[in-house]
Amino acid sequence: MTESWATFGADLHLDLSAGRGLRAGLTEALREAARSGRLAAGTRLPSSRSLAADLGIARNTVAEAYAELVAEGWLTARQGSGTRVAERARPRRPAAPVPVRRAARRGLTYSLLPGSPDLGGFPRSAWLAAARRALAGAPNEAFGYGLDGRGRPELREALTGYLARARGVYTDPERIVLCAGFAQGLTLLARVLRARRVREMAVEGYGLDIHRNLLTRAGLRTRPLGVDGDGARTQELTAGAGAVLLTPAHQFPTGAALTPARRAAAVDWARTTGGLILEDDYDGEFRYDRQPVGALQGLDPDRVVYLGTASKSLAPGLRMGWMVVPPGLLDEVMAAQGMGDRASSALDQLTLAEFITSGAYDRHVRGMRLRYRRRRDELVLAVGDRAGVSGIAAGLHAVLDLPAGTERSVLQSAAWQDLSLEGLSAFRHPEASLPPREALVVGYGTPPDSAWTPTLAALSAALP
């Protein structure tokens, strides 16, 4: 069968109409494709006969262009191997600029950076079994474009039951909107708030700059609330803010739980001013010393938007999140949602629905709860009296309070131990009026089991 450029598997989009001869134009086009990396080193080119036929030029023209590029070293020609792009043609690509602090620390051997579960704990076998069952039982329409922006009804039904019994959330499947993680849900809600002419939003004085930046880019000014051992100081909420973002079950990153009085203050503020509470329940399932406190949403489902994800309980790579939206807000959320704001794939949604309804999700969470509790206990034992562990016994991270003036030196010492760590100061809102505090935010959920012991040893060596 005659080889054809059309079926060869590589498209060069060669421009031979640049006002020069055919051979010179072809030679330059091939040379530039190799130089720029469009033709990667080792790529096999079609025969001169095939390329000539597809370009509508003489075979000798192609052969002469190939020969010139072989002589220059851009191509190689060997009997039985054909004509290929030479290794020396590989382009040098400058490394993308990244913040020095992040780049250096992310590349260290050990990591206690917060925000990630133990990825090695992902339940591969149980998830695969659920995926097979979900695929076998999936209706044909599940493989279409999906007309309901809220996501698959099977998962919304499963989440309704799970959130009610595990987190005390009041909802029904019609009010659940699936999204590809917390950040996407927050972006969508910020869009809704702007459409409501909200200009200012309250946030906790300690929190993730990623979330604050999302709100800022949406046109919302963030005003920080004070944070102490009782959580966010919700009594500081004013009518000037149209919404507030809270982590009531386990303040991130300080680890405090919002007290009943401050929960009530937040709800009273929302009812009085017409404001909205956005509840980030990022790790509410993981409480080790008592039954987890129920979601704030249960106090007033009409004023609280509940946001949850599978990022901590399963894995962030699933890109799976959900919002429980008050009835009066649902139409606005759906109107603000674009095609690019849809949730993860239908098959992943069906798999998670099966994973929940089969009981596998509960079994997995119980197993991981035991694993993380053991790690937290070992962390407390390892640091001893050199650092005070603050916050409730929950989640996948702990805060280690340090003597005044030592946070930076401990971070430097950790880097010498080949350990990535984050200081509490990295999470402080730039406008927050908070008392001086130096501490480490230790993500004990991050290391795999195989690296846990040496990681803990590196932390111990870094502490004063």
Side-chain angles (χ1 to χ4, degrees), residues 69-154:
L69 293 172
V70 168
E72 292 178 3
W74 291 105
L75 304 180
T76 61
R78 295 186 179 89
Q79 186 68 31
S81 180
T83 304
R84 296 179 181 273
V85 179
E87 288 295 330
R88 69 181 296 273
R90 187 184 302 274
R92 294 182 179 180
R93 299 179 180 178
V98 294
V100 174
R101 185 174 72 94
R102 290 284 185 185
R105 296 171 67 206
R106 293 282 177 182
L108 301 182
T109 301
Y110 307 112
S111 176
L112 286 171
L113 295 175
S116 176
D118 177 5
L119 302 179
F122 184 79
R124 298 171 188 246
S125 297
W127 185 263
L128 180 59
R132 286 172 172 161
R133 295 192 299 270
L135 182 60
N140 291 338
E141 53 89 14
F143 301 101
Y145 286 106
L147 300 179
D148 192 337
R150 291 171 299 181
R152 290 300 306 175
E154 296 90 344

Side-chain angles (χ1 to χ4, degrees), residues 3-8 46 48-57:
E3 185 183 46
S4 170
W5 186 256
T7 60
F8 187 73
S48 59
R49 183 189 303 275
S50 297
L51 182 55
D54 286 337
L55 295 178
I57 61 178

Side-chain angles (χ1 to χ4, degrees), residues 129-139 347 350-351 354:
R132 286 172 172 161
R133 295 192 299 270
L135 182 60
L347 183 55
L350 291 171
T351 300
E354 172 64 26

Side-chain angles (χ1 to χ4, degrees), residues 323-349:
M323 297 185 289
V324 177
V325 182
L329 192 68
L330 184 59
D331 288 343
E332 295 172 69
V333 170
M334 301 312 298
Q337 186 188 63
M339 287 301 295
D341 297 314
R342 298 298 175 92
S344 50
S345 76
L347 183 55
D348 285 339
Q349 293 178 39

